[in-house]
Amino acid sequence: MWAIGVRPGADGPVVDPAGDVDAAALAALYGATGKVGEAFAHPLPEGPVRWLVLVGLGDGSAHSLRRAGAALARAVVDRHPQRRASVATTVVDGPEQVRAFVAGAMLAAFSFDWRSTNDGPRRLGEVRLIGLSDQAAAELPTAVAIGHASWRARLLATVPSQVKNPGWLAEQAAVIAADAGLEFRVWDEQALTEEGFGGIAAVGRASATPPRLIRLDYTPVGATRRTPHLVLVGKGITFDTGGLSIKPAEAMATMKRDMTGGGIVLAVLAALAEVGCPVKVTGLVAAAENAISGDAMRPGDVIRHYGGRTSEVTNTDAEGRLVMADALAYAAAEIKPDLMVDVATLTGAMKVALGQRTGGFFATDDGVADLISAAGTAAGEPVWRMPLASVYADRIASKIADADNAGGGPGAITAALFLQPFTDGVPWVHLDVASAGDSPSEWHEWTTGPTGFGARLLLEWLGQDAPLDVVTGG
Ligand code: BES
Ligand code: MN
Ligand code: ZN
């Protein structure tokens, strides 16, 4: 399949030349306007190329090319038996454009299923970018690494929870660590209890598959003791029933993806070397199944977290913050990094606030906040900064513990305020991806179901020359 670019022009669509094919006539035939998202597939009766596809490029920006890549991928997967496409350099060039186009094409072709009638995965086999400039071609390994990481995050979130329990997640992490040359460590339920990870232990206690804390360490080539250090913490709830404060059926239906943050952390750690990340990164995944049994954590229970802070559990469905608290406290006390970033599908309130196409985040540092916002926009994962508004701190006050895990709203903000003391003053970013972690429909590069939202943003940022200089003072 050959792709031919079409752009909107003042006097009708401008069509890229396509050898001896009268591409302009084809564009007229299909009514192509060059709008982004358009992909008209035209069959050819003979010859090695069986389809021509007219792809709308819009204004040619990275944003448009991401969507053009997605439209092309969908056309190829739908039409071409070998699922192969060739794209000329007139369609895509320039480093940002290459990154965006590759991400769009890879992710729109995401698929996972266990259908019995499977005629092979409906995946894009191959896209050839013909005649790229050297500068643009040099961008390809990074582009593919980011696309692959986002794909991996989606895949992990899509795997059903009958398979994906905390132990399984730890096994995936071990494989990733071996492949990517990362240090790996895992705490089992006994070690978690002995070392005081009371939140992870309590949330995971009712499950037939016990909790785990997973740690991966990435050290860049040439690192010294002065190389800046980042900790990434992911919420790894492999299924969230809500616990004894049980969720209604509709709310529970998508909760296999409640480990999205943990999946993102694993996917990002796996790709750091490929994007040339220059700082040390430790990944922590707090993995537990929030299940129900006679031994389940109860409303009214008081938990003692890593380091000693206590939480009164007024709602067992606010479990994410309980496991994240342990991991943040551990990182602040034992790793003392320059910055901590956590990623979690933490609150339904964030979904209400931002809908399902924008992520929300909180930050203690304005400079990092700007970097995160810019990386999100550049990567196609837009995020909006929310306030750590301490005026609501009284909502999570408890009569018998340091905090109440579900005191009251505004829900996304009070969840962030709950976590903040566990960071012990370390600069901190909290990404709540409950909103954009799931796509209700096919939309450009987003496929219905888990989106892995956050992986592209983090790698876009961590692939930069000095991602932590803004907090270390460079
Ligand atoms: N995993 C949910 C949050 C969530 C909701 C993620 C919708 C994705 C989509 C979280 O554990 C939860 O249940 N939060 C509660 C907190 C409440 C009990 C304070 C919520 O948001 O309702
Ligand atoms: Mn919950
Ligand atoms: Zn949850």
Side-chain angles (χ1 to χ4, degrees):
M1 183 178 257
W2 259 100
I4 303 169
V6 185
R7 298 154 220 261
D11 312 308
V14 181
V15 187
D16 281 345
D20 44 10
V21 177
D22 187 349
L26 274 185
L29 177 67
Y30 286 96
T33 66
K35 233 175 42 193
V36 90
E38 273 180 9
F40 296 101
H42 177 73
L44 294 178
E46 53 197 28
V49 179
R50 307 308 308 273
W51 293 88
L52 291 175
V53 52
L54 299 159
V55 187
L57 302 179
D59 60 4
S61 64
H63 178 73
S64 293
L65 283 174
R66 186 177 304 112
R67 294 176 166 191
L72 175 67
R74 291 182 192 280
V76 173
V77 170
D78 287 348
R79 308 262 179 191
H80 193 276
Q82 273 87 47
R83 316 217 198 281
R84 293 206 177 116
S86 298
V87 183
T89 180
T90 43
V91 178
V92 48
D93 203 11
E96 284 87 43
Q97 278 83 348
V98 168
R99 277 226 285 280
F101 186 85
V102 167
M106 286 179 77
L107 294 172
F110 174 82
S111 76
F112 171 96
D113 74 70
W114 285 346
R115 264 187 274 285
S116 61
T117 53
N118 205 330
D119 55 356
R122 291 174 51 75
R123 281 181 192 168
L124 196 53
E126 181 182 301
V127 176
R128 273 171 191 277
L129 300 172
I130 313 284
L132 279 185
S133 70
D134 289 349
Q135 195 207 9
E139 201 59 34
L140 272 176
T142 302
V144 172
I146 295 176
H148 183 215
S150 191
W151 176 292
R152 191 200 293 270
R154 257 186 217 187
L155 183 62
L156 288 169
T158 305
V159 169
S161 297
Q162 82 214 68
V163 170
K164 180 178 59 189
N165 55 51
W168 184 88
L169 217 48
E171 283 166 23
Q172 302 305 304
V175 172
I176 286 170
D179 287 352
L182 308 171
E183 277 171 58
F184 171 76
R185 180 173 171 195
V186 62
W187 286 254
D188 64 12
E189 67 275 29
Q190 201 189 330
L192 286 168
T193 305
E194 278 169 15
E195 294 182 35
F197 293 90
I200 302 175
V203 170
R205 194 174 65 210
S207 175
T209 54
R212 296 284 183 266
L213 175 64
I214 302 161
R215 172 172 173 168
L216 299 173
D217 285 280
Y218 163 82
T219 308
V221 178
T224 66
R225 280 192 14 249
R226 287 172 50 209
T227 304
H229 197 161
L230 166 72
V231 171
L232 283 178
V233 180
K235 171 174 171 180
I237 298 299
T238 59
F239 194 78
D240 184 8
T241 66
L244 292 179
S245 315
I246 191 169
K247 285 182 185 294
E250 325 77 70
M252 207 190 293
T254 60
M255 283 302 131
K256 70 175 182 181
R257 71 171 175 91
D258 209 19
M259 42 51 70
T260 291
I264 287 168
V265 169
L266 297 183
V268 167
L269 265 288
L272 287 172
E274 292 166 306
V275 304
C277 174
V279 298
K280 286 186 252 179
V281 183
T282 298
L284 292 171
V285 180
E289 182 185 12
N290 190 20
I292 297 171
S293 82
D295 190 32
M297 160 178 88
R298 289 160 289 260
D301 284 0
V302 174
I303 286 170
R304 189 174 299 277
H305 293 280
Y306 191 89
R309 257 185 86 84
T310 57
S311 297
E312 180 186 4
V313 180
T314 55
N315 189 320
T316 64
D317 196 12
E319 85 297 341
R321 65 198 74 185
L322 297 176
V323 302
M324 298 299 279
D326 280 358
L328 289 169
Y330 165 82
E334 313 299 336
I335 304 174
K336 301 184 180 67
D338 298 290
L339 177 70
M340 302 204 278
V341 176
D342 80 70
V343 196
T345 47
L346 206 63
T347 66
M350 190 60 99
K351 203 166 145 181
V352 174
L354 296 179
Q356 292 186 272
R357 293 174 181 176
T358 310
F361 77 101
F362 299 80
T364 57
D365 180 281
D366 294 345
V368 183
D370 291 346
L371 285 180
I372 295 287
S373 295
T377 304
E381 292 180 333
V383 288
W384 189 257
R385 186 177 181 187
M386 306 284 282
L388 279 165
S390 55
V391 288
Y392 301 115
D394 56 335
R395 311 306 299 271
I396 53 167
S398 161
K399 282 218 169 67
I400 64 163
D402 293 326
D404 178 334
N405 83 325
I413 295 174
T414 51
L417 292 176
F418 176 92
L419 292 177
Q420 193 168 12
F422 296 95
T423 63
D424 198 24
V426 175
W428 171 59
V429 175
H430 162 56
L431 269 163
D432 186 341
V433 295
S435 55
D438 192 68
S439 178
S441 56
E442 301 283 311
W443 187 65
H444 302 296
E445 79 274 22
W446 305 39
T447 47
T448 307
T451 60
F453 187 100
R456 283 188 275 161
L457 179 160
L458 290 171
L459 286 168
E460 181 82 30
W461 167 51
L462 293 172
Q464 293 170 7
D465 290 341
L468 294 185
D469 275 12
V470 64
V471 281
T472 60

